[in-house]
Amino acid sequence: MPALDHRPGTPAQALDELLAGNRRFVTGTRVHPHQDAEHRAAVALEQQPFAVVFGCSDSRLAAEIIFDRGLGDLFVVRTAGHVAGPEVTASIEYGVAVLGTPLVVVLGHDACGGIRAGRDALAGDQPDPRLAAIVDGVTPSIANAHTRGVTDQEGITRIHVERTVAAVARPGTATGDAVAAGRCAVVGMYYRLADGQVDVVGDVVGGAPVPRPRSGG
């Protein structure tokens, strides 16, 4: 297995690299690239990540591990329930506009506590006031899912991922402009905690040459 020293420069290459890394993680053939002292020194003065990964804060969802990557490869932003407030949006746009990443990934997962808290709140349970920002961030997606007849946890999470992708790539933002120019693509992914596999959710937004990949198995 090569050391994976090249930086993917297009949305398609970045997406292929992530899915290949996840396959290595699932099958136990990880190569742990860019985790040595030499690479640590090489990226100390400058970073050039090839993807922004916006995911849930769940401790089992560490992007560098599940995609078999290392230092300087991924620009990672995380909140519970991958709720996208202004600071999150600005962080993603920094990765796209300043660091030039060709891909943004919105990463959801099964058994998400943030989604569960939102579902409980809509069912009438009084949420912990300290979780209000998370609940407020996920309930619009849950309500949207219900209008589409989707009530199961996985289906709701996938809809939340799709809606977050649309919000991240919306026109008039730095990310949206990069998508419109073909410099960047935004894609949703869904991670399964038990087997470690990711699959693509919905369509890849932007970067017209990017094909819809098969799931990571």
Side-chain angles (χ1 to χ4, degrees):
M1 178 67 68
L4 308 178
D5 287 331
H6 67 286
R7 178 187 190 262
T10 69
Q13 291 169 351
L15 184 54
D16 286 346
E17 200 74 76
L18 286 182
L19 292 176
N22 181 247
R23 285 192 291 271
R24 295 193 301 271
F25 173 67
V26 170
T27 59
T29 57
R30 290 169 292 170
V31 296
H32 304 289
H34 300 165
Q35 297 182 24
D36 55 273
E38 290 78 11
H39 191 74
R40 182 186 68 218
V43 299
L45 297 180
E46 182 182 18
Q47 60 172 322
Q48 291 186 316
F50 68 84
V52 175
V53 178
F54 172 41
C56 181
S57 297
D58 192 293
S59 63
R60 300 161 291 182
L61 201 68
E64 287 88 353
I65 294 176
I66 70 172
F67 292 116
D68 191 28
R69 300 306 313 185
L71 297 172
D73 290 333
L74 307 178
F75 190 75
V76 181
V77 184
R78 300 175 70 179
T79 64
H82 62 270
V83 172
E87 297 86 354
V88 166
T89 300
S91 297
I92 293 171
E93 294 192 341
Y94 180 87
V96 173
V98 178
L99 301 179
T101 57
L103 184 69
V104 176
V105 174
V106 176
L107 182 62
H109 68 97
D110 57 352
C112 178
I115 298 294
R116 187 183 307 113
R119 293 180 72 192
D120 291 345
L122 283 181
D125 292 348
Q126 188 66 30
D128 186 326
R130 294 167 294 186
L131 303 180
I134 298 169
V135 171
D136 291 346
V138 300
T139 49
S141 293
I142 299 170
N144 178 269
H146 287 177
T147 66
R148 296 158 63 175
V150 178
T151 58
D152 64 288
Q153 175 100 2
E154 177 173 338
I156 290 171
T157 302
R158 288 176 176 271
I159 286 174
H160 184 47
V161 168
E162 290 178 340
R163 285 168 54 85
T164 307
V165 166
V168 167
R170 70 187 183 279
T173 64
T175 303
D177 291 346
V179 167
R183 298 191 306 271
C184 181
V186 184
V187 62
M189 292 187 182
Y190 184 86
Y191 177 77
R192 299 185 184 280
L193 296 171
D195 62 23
Q197 181 169 302
V198 299
D199 62 77
V200 172
V201 174
D203 295 323
V204 179
V205 178
V210 181
R212 178 180 173 85
R214 297 185 302 171
S215 62

